[in-house]
Amino acid sequence: MNRSVADVKETAEAAKLSLNNYKPTVECIHFPDEDNESSEYKLIELDDKLLSFVKEGQTLIIRGRKNDSAVLCSDSTTYDIKQTETSNSMLMLPLSTESPTGDGDKDDNPQLEVSNCEVRHWSYVYYEVTPRRPNFDRLREMRSETPYRGSTTEDSDLIDGIYKLKDYLREVCASETEILNALKDHKAVEINGYWRSIDFDYMSRVVMHLINHVSEIDCPWSSIPADHCKECLYKLEEELIVNYVLEIFTCKSLINDIECYSLIEDVVCRWSAEYLLSASGGRFNKSEFFTSWSCSVPTGMITRDDHLDGLALIDNTTVPNSIFLFKADEMTDDPVERFKILFSLKSHWTMNQLRPYIKTLGEDDKQLLLWLHKVARSSTQPDGSKMYSSKF
Amino acid sequence: MVQIGIRLCSTDAKPPQWTLIELQGKLDSREGSPLLGQPIGDLYTDRITGALTLIVGHHILMGKEVKLKRPMILVKRCADAEKSTDLLDTEYTVKAVIYRKFIFEGRPRPIISNVPKKL
């Protein structure tokens, strides 16, 4: 359906356009002659980073499980992707690449030229992307399905209930880098290619060997000769779990030219609290717990209230006051569900109490407050402190 | 889990740049005939200001070029035979990148033709 110069001039005259005001090339736009499978096209709005990723030759992947909304992933970032309708028609076509806001043509009376351009796709919908934190609920399920308890406790050819990275990639709606980082953040370990959680009691056994070793050789917990320590521990437990515990619970340094480990006070105190609270699986008398806890850690270590952030909750409504294990790490990544659970446990929270349990939902307090605004109402207590309770 | 890939065409080093033309409302042909094969309009660019004029049927639309805040890509689904890997359920390849749009937001001005000359 091509228009000629004569066709264009005729239309211009009827519209009373002075051709001299315009650049000599007129683009005559038309629909394609044949069905070019318009339904197979999609228009997607990206950001500069995603576009560069694709232009480098990489593949973006849209992932979605049956009950999830879809996400778009690069190798290291995840975005929500959703369809947006506009009331406008959008036509997409190759036009001359010269920007309209060019200088006026030097030639005062150039010949009119007609460029016939075919619209390749037209639509009133497109896809928008928004960066998001992935939901790792499925990852959490997978890594803790069969926690590692030592090679003697399982068949060497076990393959059920344990997962390799490619399995996580198939089931978790996130980018590969984010999946690997989450596994490491959750302290999962790669064993024979399978990423798994370590059973807490199994790990605790080895931590106690380590603490006992320190008192047996009667050295400060901040300077434990490394080689001797490893040698003694390897005699008691598998290398894998010993190395795992040393990695998490110690840091290395050189003291008088000898490589030494130092126990990390914060890590040991938090572990000890979890160990005591999980032993009976229920609620503890608060003051009894605090007494036991401060005695349970190596001499010289001081237990602090903030060691319990995101680990345990104190209930001042029971008589006597009680404390129970409640781990932020094990909570769902679904923000609405998470708030529902938190408010059902305790009706009123201060921001300081909430923060350890919601800090993964936002980059900073400002973003967390946005969430709170959606799901909670605030009230000022007689002592001036602000408390949050559920809106629903 | 469904996995859909979006990538460049394997043969293309660089996808072409296209333009998006945005018009208010929907385009319909007068008698409701199918749009395929039909002309849409003539697009003029003002020599000095760069302002755009589009004649669509019996209307004149005024518009301007706008750089998109975020780039867009137009992708097309690959035939199964053209897929690069079995790990993905579907693949789309980038047909064009769009950095700018011509937007026509003003009220269309009707062209009144065949006005008889005053005697």
Side-chain angles (χ1 to χ4, degrees):
Chain A
M1 188 67 220
N2 285 346
R3 286 169 65 71
S4 65
V5 171
D7 293 331
V8 169
K9 277 189 174 167
E10 194 185 322
T11 307
E13 203 180 300
K16 301 195 178 45
L17 292 188
S18 310
L19 291 174
N20 283 336
N21 292 343
Y22 302 102
K23 292 191 173 170
T25 307
V26 177
E27 305 197 84
C28 297
I29 301 163
H30 63 93
F31 283 109
D33 292 330
E34 288 168 357
D35 183 2
N36 64 347
E37 302 170 293
S38 201
S39 60
E40 302 290 271
Y41 285 85
K42 302 272 180 244
L43 182 63
I44 308 175
E45 187 186 72
L46 296 180
D47 62 16
D48 291 331
K49 277 198 237 156
L50 288 174
L51 181 61
S52 302
F53 185 77
V54 174
K55 279 166 114 176
E56 275 166 24
Q58 309 263 34
T59 303
L60 290 172
I61 303 187
I62 297 179
R63 296 191 157 111
R65 297 177 72 215
K66 246 191 305 191
N67 299 323
D68 291 338
S69 52
V71 295
L72 175 81
C73 301
S74 67
D75 60 348
S76 62
T77 49
T78 302
Y79 293 73
D80 276 325
I81 179 166
K82 76 176 207 307
Q83 197 182 68
T84 305
E85 273 188 25
T86 78
S87 54
N88 293 347
S89 296
M90 296 183 290
L91 314 174
M92 283 140 266
L93 69 169
L95 283 178
S96 104
T97 54
E98 189 195 329
S99 170
T101 50
D103 292 332
D105 281 341
K106 295 200 178 80
D107 187 348
D108 277 328
N109 224 350
Q111 289 294 337
L112 178 70
E113 277 170 29
V114 163
S115 168
N116 281 284
C117 307
E118 181 181 281
V119 168
R120 304 297 173 82
H121 179 59
W122 61 101
S123 179
Y124 58 92
V125 299
Y126 67 98
Y127 291 86
E128 279 184 320
V129 295
T130 332
R132 63 161 293 166
R133 287 158 175 272
N135 182 314
F136 288 120
D137 287 353
R138 182 64 189 132
L139 182 145
R140 211 170 275 111
E141 263 173 31
M142 290 168 80
R143 65 159 169 79
S144 44
E145 195 175 317
T146 316
Y148 185 70
R149 293 186 172 90
S151 61
T152 53
T153 67
E154 58 189 41
D155 286 332
S156 55
D157 51 4
L158 174 73
I159 51 168
D160 284 329
I162 55 176
Y163 304 96
K164 297 193 171 184
L165 181 61
K166 63 175 167 72
D167 301 315
Y168 287 96
L169 282 168
R170 259 208 312 266
E171 298 218 29
V172 179
C173 295
S175 68
E176 183 169 331
T177 302
E178 287 166 308
I179 288 175
L180 275 170
N181 286 344
L183 286 167
K184 290 173 193 163
D185 286 344
H186 294 191
K187 304 276 186 296
V189 171
E190 192 177 10
I191 304 171
N192 299 328
Y194 294 91
W195 282 91
R196 307 166 63 174
S197 290
I198 303 283
D199 177 72
F200 180 76
D201 291 335
Y202 177 48
M203 181 192 77
S204 298
R205 199 169 80 204
V206 182
V207 177
M208 287 192 287
H209 285 317
L210 173 62
I211 294 178
N212 289 341
H213 172 80
V214 173
S215 53
E216 270 165 20
I217 66 170
D218 198 19
C219 73
W221 53 258
S222 53
S223 47
I224 312 163
D227 287 342
H228 182 231
C229 175
K230 274 194 287 203
E231 212 185 294
C232 294
L233 293 180
Y234 287 160
K235 288 197 185 119
L236 301 170
E237 299 284 354
E238 280 170 33
E239 259 186 53
L240 188 149
I241 190 67
V242 170
N243 293 342
Y244 176 77
V245 165
L246 289 172
E247 174 80 35
I248 296 176
F249 285 79
T250 71
C251 53
K252 265 199 229 176
S253 59
L254 219 48
I255 299 177
N256 299 331
D257 283 334
I258 301 174
E259 209 175 41
C260 287
Y261 290 124
S262 167
L263 293 181
I264 305 173
E265 186 172 0
D266 288 346
V267 177
V268 174
C269 290
R270 278 181 73 92
W271 162 78
S272 182
E274 185 173 347
Y275 185 73
L276 287 171
L277 290 170
S278 61
S280 80
R283 283 170 183 252
F284 267 83
N285 175 307
K286 181 178 123 178
S287 43
E288 278 175 23
F289 166 77
F290 277 98
T291 313
S292 308
W293 185 34
S294 58
C295 298
S296 71
V297 292
T299 320
M301 286 197 183
I302 309 212
T303 55
R304 297 191 313 263
D305 283 357
D306 64 275
H307 286 141
L308 300 176
D309 284 351
L311 185 61
L313 282 179
I314 292 172
D315 189 349
N316 290 326
T317 64
T318 56
V319 176
N321 290 345
S322 57
I323 181 169
F324 58 97
L325 190 66
F326 188 64
K327 296 177 71 172
D329 302 355
E330 302 299 318
M331 294 202 82
T332 172
D333 281 337
D334 177 333
V336 171
E337 204 41 47
R338 186 183 282 217
F339 277 109
K340 210 164 125 190
I341 294 172
L342 289 171
F343 284 123
S344 69
L345 270 176
K346 215 157 92 106
S347 61
H348 287 74
W349 297 70
T350 64
M351 187 56 177
N352 284 339
Q353 290 166 340
L354 266 177
R355 200 181 286 105
Y357 290 98
I358 61 172
K359 65 180 186 208
T360 54
L361 300 180
E363 299 275 329
D364 52 28
D365 262 21
K366 203 162 134 206
Q367 288 190 1
L368 296 181
L369 284 170
L370 284 174
W371 267 113
L372 280 172
H373 187 69
K374 272 191 239 189
V375 301
R377 62 167 68 85
S378 68
S379 54
T380 312
Q381 301 303 300
D383 63 0
S385 63
K386 206 176 198 184
M387 298 213 81
Y388 294 92
S389 56
S390 176
K391 239 183 206 177
F392 308 112
Chain B
M1 177 162 78
V2 171
Q3 298 204 75
I4 299 171
I6 297 172
R7 57 174 175 83
L8 296 177
C9 299
S10 42
T11 46
D12 263 13
K14 212 179 156 198
Q17 281 186 33
W18 287 5
T19 304
L20 190 130
I21 295 184
E22 193 170 326
L23 306 171
Q24 282 185 329
K26 269 183 68 185
L27 284 175
D28 269 327
S29 75
R30 237 172 330 149
E31 302 95 34
S33 52
L35 295 173
L36 288 181
Q38 302 250 18
I40 298 171
D42 297 347
L43 179 67
Y44 294 80
T45 310
D46 188 287
R47 195 187 276 207
I48 297 170
T49 65
L52 301 166
T53 303
L54 182 66
I55 305 180
V56 178
H58 284 238
H59 288 101
I60 299 181
L61 308 171
M62 302 301 295
K64 60 179 194 256
E65 171 181 328
V66 170
K67 180 167 185 271
L68 292 181
K69 286 200 199 89
R70 300 165 120 212
M72 296 182 105
I73 52 171
L74 185 65
V75 299
K76 185 178 179 197
R77 193 201 305 253
C78 269
D80 279 339
E82 290 166 351
K83 276 170 64 177
S84 64
T85 167
D86 282 331
L87 293 173
L88 298 169
D89 302 289
T90 318
E91 286 174 46
Y92 284 77
T93 54
V94 178
K95 284 292 168 224
V97 183
I98 300 170
Y99 294 104
R100 67 174 187 181
K101 65 180 176 187
F102 292 173
I103 180 157
F104 294 86
E105 275 175 321
R107 213 182 161 78
R109 194 159 49 87
I111 300 168
I112 304 161
S113 55
N114 295 330
V115 176
K117 287 203 177 89
K118 274 187 174 165
L119 292 170

